[in-house]
Amino acid sequence: METKEIADKLVEYCQTNQWERAYRELFAENARGIEAKESPMFPIETIGRDAMIEKGKKFTEQVEKVHSYEISEPLVAGSFFTVKTSMTADFKGAGKVHIEEICLYRTANGKIISEQFFYD
């Protein structure tokens, strides 16, 4: 798959809450994820598709109720693409939280090899 096809598939899967499917189909086995900042729940860097899937499950387990979720159309440049996400949700122990982030992805050989998140 070309970068634009991967980007469009990722957006489609995110819009339909198919998070694990996105990781399994679109990410390289040795992909890495980089958070905007380290937290007690998540390290700054996660290496490997399986570890990224587990991180996603851990995040999902913290969500009690999603009030809204949006993902933009992808912006593609060469082997990179980016999307903006926005979510308002109730989180265990934190109440209602609004999160906006820029997500940057890099592809190689038809798979996503890295994801990086930027947020305040």
Side-chain angles (χ1 to χ4, degrees):
M1 275 194 286
E2 297 294 321
T3 300
K4 175 74 168 121
E5 294 171 287
I6 295 168
D8 289 342
K9 266 293 184 206
L10 181 68
V11 168
E12 175 189 329
Y13 290 159
C14 290
Q15 289 172 331
T16 56
N17 299 319
Q18 296 182 72
W19 315 107
E20 187 169 340
R21 181 177 182 189
Y23 279 110
R24 292 209 183 279
E25 289 183 19
L26 303 176
F27 283 71
E29 188 175 326
N30 62 346
R32 67 185 203 135
I34 303 169
E35 295 293 326
K37 48 192 156 193
E38 191 162 5
S39 71
M41 187 185 275
F42 302 112
I44 194 94
E45 185 174 39
T46 303
I47 299 174
R49 180 179 56 218
D50 291 342
M52 294 168 79
I53 290 169
E54 288 307 311
K55 180 182 75 168
K57 288 178 182 178
K58 190 174 180 182
F59 178 83
T60 301
E61 289 170 359
Q62 296 305 308
V63 176
E64 294 179 323
K65 179 182 179 183
V66 175
H67 298 280
S68 65
Y69 175 78
E70 295 177 12
I71 184 168
S72 70
E73 292 298 315
L75 179 62
V76 178
S79 63
F80 292 89
F81 70 94
T82 187
V83 295
K84 175 189 173 197
T85 64
S86 177
M87 180 172 83
T88 303
D90 295 335
F91 287 86
K92 292 178 183 173
K96 192 173 188 177
V97 176
H98 180 72
I99 302 168
E100 285 188 324
E101 63 186 354
I102 296 295
C103 311
L104 175 65
Y105 299 89
R106 184 172 189 186
T107 66
N109 302 315
K111 296 286 185 181
I112 296 170
I113 59 170
S114 68
E115 66 179 6
Q116 187 169 3
F117 304 111
F118 299 90
Y119 55 89
D120 290 327

